[in-house]
């Protein structure tokens, strides 16, 4: 079964190459030429699928990267550089990727919309500049030689199909790997990505670089197809159109990128046959693009939904009912996470004022307090999301500083109150992404079972919100951090499950070797899990110490007066 | 050099007005409107068509074009605030990318891809400064940029509608619960910026390279200018637009910079982003 699954992409690839061969032999010469154009567009769209579809960024200069590829191939051809066309093609991709990184660098810390402005600016500038400069070799009429074995149209189409299939395979495996998970994660939540110890910038940059590389390869391939590259093939408007097409076809799905490419060539061709000006093609794309964005869907997901309708299931839920085997608890040791004098000010409002906290090794510290007491601010500050926080945080005796992803890698993980689980991944892929290490299937299965979570193969989009948050907890535990900060992990669960969840949580230090800081509103849960408790009120520590002592403190009782979950 | 810089000031005024519109849109209706100048372009083209082909008087055709620009923008605003009321800025802006494509292609279909025979609304020199002639277009666009920025500022800070708009932009849900007519106000913002951008483009287009693509792509230097104010500050948006126009005009005088000149808005955008993004920010409040 597993072997079949691993081999599947290669089988599909072979079938695709065979189909390509069949088309190259069976089709009329004109259609073979159109087919080449479709393949070229397909590679471009595949790239856009990575950057816009997976990583959720707006990139409007895909054909500028194509132009870089075309430029490289033309220049190498003019210079008669060694290696021949295929090497040049690859170099064109590399050059475009490098340009992509350069363009992406300033846009790194930005939300998608600034990247859109940057890329449109580049596309517009490159458009004008290309018209003035022209491609190398064009003035002298030195056309790009196709490789000897693929000199005629039919065989060049076969070559193009092979290149496309290789690109598809590359994208398929990248998407399944760490990079792909990071793209999905960063598209859904940058904070979630950073909390998993993955650099937000690197994730965005890799997506941008891969997309640009594919754009470059597509441009190089186009140069081989037409012989001489012209600026008219790489205008800003066509880049816009490709972007819109990627949105409307759902190009993050590989088959839909290919389908989009067929539309790219097919729609203008049909219009031509019907005697309609070809500019209407872009109008059609534009209208469908607006429709796709406004309805939040696209052709790709619609087709897939029709396909999978039979197997459509209820959202997967938690199953915490079954009693899991218990482990002997370990007695808490000396503090592993020490926070001293932590202060956070938002303007004139002091959200936290010199808070001291200590999480014991192999222990569970509960942090409670009324709404607005600064509990979530505490988690944000410790995990590095509030760089302006004052005070010191020590993990295992050494100071914990830097960005959230650095802190996560140093062994401090956190979860969020809101859903930060990227719906595009499966449970298993998400766990691997969070864990940042090799996991065996057994390890994953065991951890999921322990918390009653859905199986690893389940897509997260089919998991209900409460269960998603426990999947997040499981993933962070599998990362084996020293300390895990849980921000109201039980908030999405039905009340009966709180107790069962608490039982599991109690075993976490012994079972996973992780110490826990738990923020929770449900005092029953806190009471059943935490050895020590710290109470926050208006950003100050009201009381701290062993559970029974703290909960009997009159000051704590007073702070909780009026709260429904009164002791 | 100075001559060139001052010649670039007309374009600078245009950038500044568009940048103010972009800033208003970004602040008030959470959208970076990539179709900002394309809407204006389309309105102007229709105006040219009305006056050249249908023989309408110039002033009437121009007014019709400007109103159409506002209407188109309002329509787009209606679509965005109806179907994408809850969507993030990225998705809302992506729609305007599709509309940008749509309007450029439509103008190719309806009016061909040759530049249009624009008839200048304003013509001739206005004044001479130190031997350098400044055209009426320059004076009017620069004045318009300042005027629009100041007017927006006054409307936003002094009028009840302005207060409602600010409430809407800061806390959309709360504002709506207070009974502020969110959709109507948003569409009004779209309409007003549509009218303003069509107006300024119809003033400047006769003296610019005025094919559909160039006019629609004016959004690039305009967003570079808007970025100086971080899509939030109107005064900096105006300064950015005028500054960019001056630099571009000066660069146009130097032969060796001809290709580099195209990349100026892009370079400005990148430089501004590098500078303004020194501090890391996160995508959600918490």
């Amino acid at each position: 079964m597993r072997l079949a699954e691993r081999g599947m992409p290669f089988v599909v690839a072979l079938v695709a190459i065979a189909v390509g061969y069949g088309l190259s032999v069976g089709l009329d010469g004109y259609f073979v030429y159109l087919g080449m154009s479709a393949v070229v567009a397909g590679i471009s769209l595949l790239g856009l699928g990575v950057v816009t579809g997976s990583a959720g960024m707006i990139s409007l200069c895909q054909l500028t990267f194509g132009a870089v590829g075309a430029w490289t191939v033309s220049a190498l051809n003019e210079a008669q550089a060694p290696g021949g066309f295929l090497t040049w093609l690859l170099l064109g991709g590399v050059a475009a990727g490098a340009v992509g990184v350069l363009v992406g660098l300033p846009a790194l810390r930005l939300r998608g919309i600034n990247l859109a402005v940057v890329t449109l600016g580049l596309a517009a500038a490159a458009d004008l500049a290309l018209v003035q400069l022209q491609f190398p070799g064009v003035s002298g009429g030195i056309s790009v030689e196709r490789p000897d074995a693929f000199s005629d149209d039919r065989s060049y189409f076969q070559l193009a199909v092979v290149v496309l299939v290789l690109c598809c395979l590359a994208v398929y495996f990248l998407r399944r790997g760490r990079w792909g998970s990071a793209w999905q994660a960063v598209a859904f939540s940058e904070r979630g990505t950073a909390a998993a110890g993955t650099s937000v910038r690197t994730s965005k940059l890799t997506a941008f670089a891969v997309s640009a590389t594919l754009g470059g390869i597509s441009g190089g391939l186009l140069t081989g197809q037409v012989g001489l590259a012209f600026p008219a093939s790489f205008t800003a408007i066509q880049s816009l159109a490709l972007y819109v097409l990627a949105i409307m076809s759902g190009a993050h799905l590989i088959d839909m990128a290919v389908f989009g490419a067929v539309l790219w060539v097919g729609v203008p061709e049909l219009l031509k046959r019907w005697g309609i000006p070809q500019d209407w093609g872009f109008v059609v794309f534009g209208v469908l693009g607006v429709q796709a964005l406004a309805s939040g869907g696209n052709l790709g997901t619609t087709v897939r939904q029709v396909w999978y309708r039979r197997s459509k299931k209820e959202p997967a839920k938690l199953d915490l009912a079954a009693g899991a085997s218990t482990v002997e608890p370990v007695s808490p040791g000396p503090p592993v996470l020490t926070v001293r004098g932590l202060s956070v000010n938002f303007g004139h409002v002091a959200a936290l004022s010199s808070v001291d906290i200590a999480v014991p090794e192999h222990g569970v510290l509960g942090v409670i307090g009324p709404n607005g007491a600064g509990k979530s601010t505490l988690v944000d500050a410790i995990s590095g999301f509030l760089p302006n926080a004052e005070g010191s945080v020590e993990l295992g005796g050494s100071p914990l500083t830097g960005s959230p992803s650095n802190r996560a890698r140093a062994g401090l993980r956190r979860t969020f109150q809101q859903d930060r689980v990227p719906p595009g991944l499966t449970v298993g892929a998400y766990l691997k992404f969070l864990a940042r290490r090799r996991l065996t299937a057994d390890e994953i299965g065991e951890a999921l079972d322990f918390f009653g979570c859905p199986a690893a193969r389940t897509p997260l989009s089919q998991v209900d919100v409460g269960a998603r948050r426990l999947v997040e907890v499981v993933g962070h535990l599998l990362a084996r951090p020293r300390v895990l900060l849980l921000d109201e992990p039980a908030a999405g669960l039905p009340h009966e499950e709180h107790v069962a969840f608490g039982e599991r949580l109690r075993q976490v230090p012994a079972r996973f070797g992780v110490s826990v800081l738990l923020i929770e509103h449900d005092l029953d849960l806190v009471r059943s899990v935490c050895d020590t408790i710290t109470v926050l009120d208006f950003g100050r520590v009201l009381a701290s110490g062993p559970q029974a002592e703290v909960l009997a403190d009159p000051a704590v009782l007073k702070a909780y007066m009026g709260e429904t979950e009164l002791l | 050099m100075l001559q060139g810089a001052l010649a670039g000031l007309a374009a600078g005024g245009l950038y500044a007005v568009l940048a103010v519109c972009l800033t208003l849109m970004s602040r008030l209706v959470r959208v970076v409107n990539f179709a900002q100048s394309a809407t204006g372009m389309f309105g102007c083209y229709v105006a040219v068509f009305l006056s050249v082909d249908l023989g309408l008087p110039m002033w009437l055709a121009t007014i019709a074009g400007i109103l159409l620009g506002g209407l188109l923008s309002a329509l787009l605003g209606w679509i965005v605030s109806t179907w994408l009321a809850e969507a993030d800025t990225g998705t809302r802006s992506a729609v305007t990318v599709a509309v940008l494509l749509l309007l450029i292609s439509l103008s190719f279909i309806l009016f061909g891809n040759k530049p249009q025979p624009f008839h200048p609304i304003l013509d001739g020199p206005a004044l001479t400064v130190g031997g350098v002639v400044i055209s009426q277009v320059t004076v009017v666009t620069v004045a318009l940029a300042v005027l629009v920025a100041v007017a927006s500022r006054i409307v936003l800070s002094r009028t009840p509608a302005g207060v409602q708009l600010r409430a809407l932009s800061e806390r959309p849900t709360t504002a709506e619960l207070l009974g502020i007519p969110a959709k109507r106000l948003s569409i009004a913002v779209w309409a007003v910026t549509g009218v303003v951008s069509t107006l300024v483009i119809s003033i400047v287009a006769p003296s610019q390279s005025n094919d559909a693509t160039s006019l629609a792509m004016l959004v690039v230097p305009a967003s570079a200018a808007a970025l100086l104010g971080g899509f939030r500050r109107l005064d900096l948006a105006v300064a950015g637009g005028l500054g960019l126009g001056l630099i571009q005009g000066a660069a146009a005088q130097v032969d060796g910079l001809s290709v580099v000149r195209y990349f100026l808005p892009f370079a400005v955008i990148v430089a501004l982003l590098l500078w303004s993004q020194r501090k890391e920010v996160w995508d959600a409040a918490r």
Side-chain angles (χ1 to χ4, degrees):
Chain A
M1 182 64 195
R2 288 193 62 80
L3 194 69
E5 217 171 282
R6 284 212 182 132
M8 206 54 199
F10 295 104
V11 174
V12 173
L14 285 177
V15 171
I17 290 174
V19 170
Y21 180 78
L23 290 176
S24 77
V25 177
L27 283 181
D28 185 58
Y30 176 65
F31 284 105
V32 169
Y33 197 79
L34 279 186
M36 277 187 235
S37 305
V39 169
V40 166
I43 297 174
S44 257
L45 278 171
L46 209 56
L48 276 174
V50 168
V51 74
T52 68
S54 297
M57 297 183 286
I58 305 179
S59 163
L60 302 176
C61 62
Q62 188 65 351
L63 284 176
T64 306
F65 297 133
V68 172
W71 184 283
T72 312
V73 170
S74 303
L76 290 174
N77 177 65
E78 195 189 25
Q80 282 302 313
F85 181 77
L86 288 177
T87 315
W88 304 340
L89 190 64
L90 209 60
L91 287 175
V94 172
V99 173
V101 170
L102 279 182
V103 176
L105 268 175
L108 276 184
R109 286 177 174 174
L110 314 175
R111 310 291 79 77
I113 200 62
N114 283 347
L115 185 66
V117 174
V118 172
T119 51
L120 184 64
L122 178 66
D127 198 347
L128 293 169
L130 277 177
V131 173
Q132 191 170 337
L133 295 175
Q134 291 296 337
F135 283 91
V138 170
S139 56
I142 309 168
S143 65
V144 172
E145 295 296 327
R146 294 176 185 172
D148 289 337
F150 305 100
S151 56
D152 67 305
D153 275 4
R154 288 186 196 281
S155 53
Y156 190 73
F157 175 70
Q158 290 161 12
L159 173 71
V161 169
V162 172
V163 174
L164 173 66
V165 166
L166 287 177
C167 290
C168 289
L169 276 178
V171 169
Y172 177 82
F173 284 109
L174 281 176
R175 273 170 50 84
R176 286 179 57 106
R178 276 205 65 73
W179 280 12
S181 303
W183 299 338
Q184 296 268 355
V186 87
F188 189 69
S189 165
E190 291 178 9
R191 286 170 167 256
T193 312
T198 300
S199 157
V200 170
R201 284 193 253 175
T202 315
S203 313
K204 288 185 173 182
L205 210 56
T206 51
F208 211 60
V210 168
S211 148
T213 305
L214 289 168
I217 290 175
S218 135
L221 209 54
L222 176 73
T223 316
Q225 178 193 356
V226 293
L228 286 174
F230 292 104
S233 317
F234 305 101
T235 62
I237 300 172
Q238 282 167 303
S239 281
L240 289 176
L242 262 184
Y243 165 76
V244 173
L245 185 63
I247 291 281
M248 105 191 207
S249 65
H252 58 293
L253 308 168
I254 289 169
D255 45 346
M256 288 304 146
V258 176
F259 173 64
V262 173
L263 287 183
W264 176 255
V265 175
V267 170
E269 181 62 22
L270 279 179
L271 291 175
K272 195 167 104 187
R273 291 188 178 230
W274 295 333
I276 302 170
Q278 294 195 27
D279 283 318
W280 279 105
F282 284 178
V283 176
V284 172
F285 291 158
V287 170
L288 289 176
V290 171
Q291 196 273 336
L293 284 162
S295 64
N298 52 50
L299 274 175
T301 39
T302 313
V303 170
R304 292 230 162 166
Q305 262 164 20
V306 171
W307 188 257
Y308 288 120
R309 183 152 290 167
R310 280 163 291 167
S311 62
K312 206 173 178 182
K313 288 177 216 147
E314 286 285 294
K317 291 205 174 74
L318 283 181
D319 180 20
L320 276 168
S325 64
T326 48
V327 188
E328 221 25 55
V330 197
S331 54
V336 58
L337 178 76
T338 320
V339 176
R340 283 194 203 94
L342 193 66
S343 299
V344 175
N345 295 304
F346 297 117
H348 294 294
V349 184
L352 290 177
S353 23
S354 35
V355 169
D356 296 335
I357 268 188
V359 178
E361 180 99 60
H362 300 303
V364 183
L365 171 75
V367 174
I368 60 171
N371 280 331
K375 302 186 295 291
S376 290
T377 307
L378 177 74
V379 175
D380 277 355
I382 296 176
S383 55
F385 284 93
L386 297 170
N388 293 330
E390 294 163 31
S392 74
V393 181
E394 277 184 10
L395 184 69
S398 46
L400 191 66
T401 51
S403 70
S405 46
N406 281 341
R407 295 187 192 206
R409 280 180 224 167
L412 180 104
R413 289 298 185 102
R414 66 162 297 180
T415 64
F416 293 90
Q417 252 185 55
Q418 298 83 4
D419 182 17
R420 304 249 184 238
V421 180
L425 296 173
T426 62
V427 171
Y430 182 55
L431 292 187
K432 283 181 197 155
F433 170 66
L434 285 184
R436 290 180 64 83
R437 63 187 181 91
R438 271 193 186 288
L439 296 176
T440 62
D442 290 343
E443 206 173 352
I444 291 177
E446 219 169 277
L448 285 173
D449 283 346
F450 180 65
F451 279 97
C453 291
R457 297 172 56 97
T458 324
L460 280 163
S461 56
Q462 283 179 17
V463 176
D464 77 1
V465 180
R468 263 187 219 185
R469 307 195 52 214
L470 287 204
V471 172
E472 190 185 356
V473 172
V474 171
H476 284 297
L477 285 175
L478 286 174
R480 300 218 181 280
R482 310 260 335 236
V483 177
L484 175 59
L485 312 179
L486 295 174
D487 197 350
E488 295 192 25
L493 302 180
H495 190 77
E496 314 82 72
E497 308 232 299
H498 280 207
V499 182
F501 171 62
E503 272 170 28
R504 310 291 196 280
L505 212 52
R506 179 130 198 90
Q507 298 177 35
V508 158
R511 194 176 271 268
F512 296 93
V514 178
S515 315
V516 176
L517 183 152
L518 172 71
I519 290 180
E520 196 37 75
H521 267 303
D522 182 348
L523 281 181
D524 287 336
L525 179 59
V526 173
R527 226 187 253 124
S528 66
V529 178
C530 304
D531 319 299
T532 46
I533 292 180
T534 295
V535 186
L536 285 182
D537 193 26
F538 292 112
R540 294 174 183 281
V541 175
L542 194 61
S544 186
Q547 194 201 103
E549 233 170 76
V550 169
L551 292 181
D553 188 330
V556 175
L557 286 170
K558 197 172 166 237
Y560 266 90
M561 204 74 93
E563 294 263 324
T564 45
E565 61 237 338
L566 195 59
L567 311 172
Chain B
M1 205 72 167
L2 179 69
Q3 177 93 42
L6 287 175
L9 205 53
L14 171 65
Y15 301 160
V17 176
L18 290 175
V20 168
C21 291
L22 284 173
T23 307
L24 285 176
M25 295 285 270
S26 155
R27 264 185 72 175
L28 299 178
V29 294
R30 292 187 295 120
V31 91
V32 175
N33 185 6
F34 286 97
Q36 190 81 61
S37 51
T39 335
M41 173 274 290
F42 203 80
C44 294
Y45 269 34
V46 171
V48 171
F49 171 79
L50 289 177
S51 78
V52 174
D53 292 292
L54 297 188
L56 237 61
M58 249 277 293
W59 62 272
L60 191 62
T62 308
I63 291 178
I66 292 171
L67 288 181
L68 180 85
L71 211 66
L72 265 179
S73 193
L75 176 72
L76 181 52
W78 180 79
I79 291 175
V80 169
S81 47
T82 306
W83 283 304
L84 293 161
E86 305 288 316
D88 58 7
T89 311
T91 317
R92 289 159 75 98
S93 308
V95 172
T96 67
V97 173
V99 172
L100 167 60
L101 175 71
L102 194 82
L103 287 176
I104 295 179
S105 329
L106 261 186
S107 86
F108 283 165
I109 293 166
L110 296 176
F111 312 110
N113 42 17
K114 294 268 180 314
Q116 292 291 297
F118 273 98
H119 203 83
I121 301 174
L122 298 169
D123 206 4
L127 58 144
T128 317
V129 179
V132 180
V133 180
I134 295 179
S135 67
Q136 287 182 14
V137 173
T138 307
V139 174
V140 171
T141 48
V142 172
L144 198 63
V146 176
L147 191 75
V148 172
V150 171
S152 323
R153 182 70 196 273
I154 291 173
V155 168
L156 284 180
S157 56
R158 300 281 165 81
T159 65
V163 173
Q164 292 192 336
L165 273 171
R166 270 168 36 219
L168 207 56
S169 66
E170 307 270 327
R171 294 267 182 278
T173 323
T174 318
E176 248 185 291
L177 289 173
L178 285 171
I180 293 174
K183 197 165 157 184
R184 237 185 304 157
L185 275 175
S186 309
I187 295 177
V189 173
W190 283 83
V192 168
T193 56
V195 164
V196 172
S197 18
T198 320
L199 170 69
V200 70
I201 290 178
S202 34
I203 293 172
V204 181
S207 57
Q208 284 263 315
S209 55
N210 58 28
D211 61 287
T213 315
S214 308
L215 288 179
M217 288 299 171
L218 282 173
V219 74
V220 172
S223 41
L227 261 173
L228 183 64
F231 280 102
R232 290 203 65 79
R233 281 186 56 179
L234 294 169
D235 50 348
L236 287 180
V238 172
L242 296 179
L244 190 57
L246 286 172
I247 301 174
Q248 265 191 328
Q253 298 294 94
V254 188
D255 280 339
L257 291 179
S258 60
V259 173
V260 177
R261 188 164 50 102
Y262 302 131
F263 286 92
L264 257 177
F266 173 70
V268 169
I269 295 174
V270 169
L272 285 176
L273 286 180
L274 280 176
W275 183 75
S276 65
Q277 302 295 328
R278 290 154 302 168
K279 292 180 185 165
E280 198 153 352
V281 272
W282 293 99
D283 56 341
R286 173 164 278 165

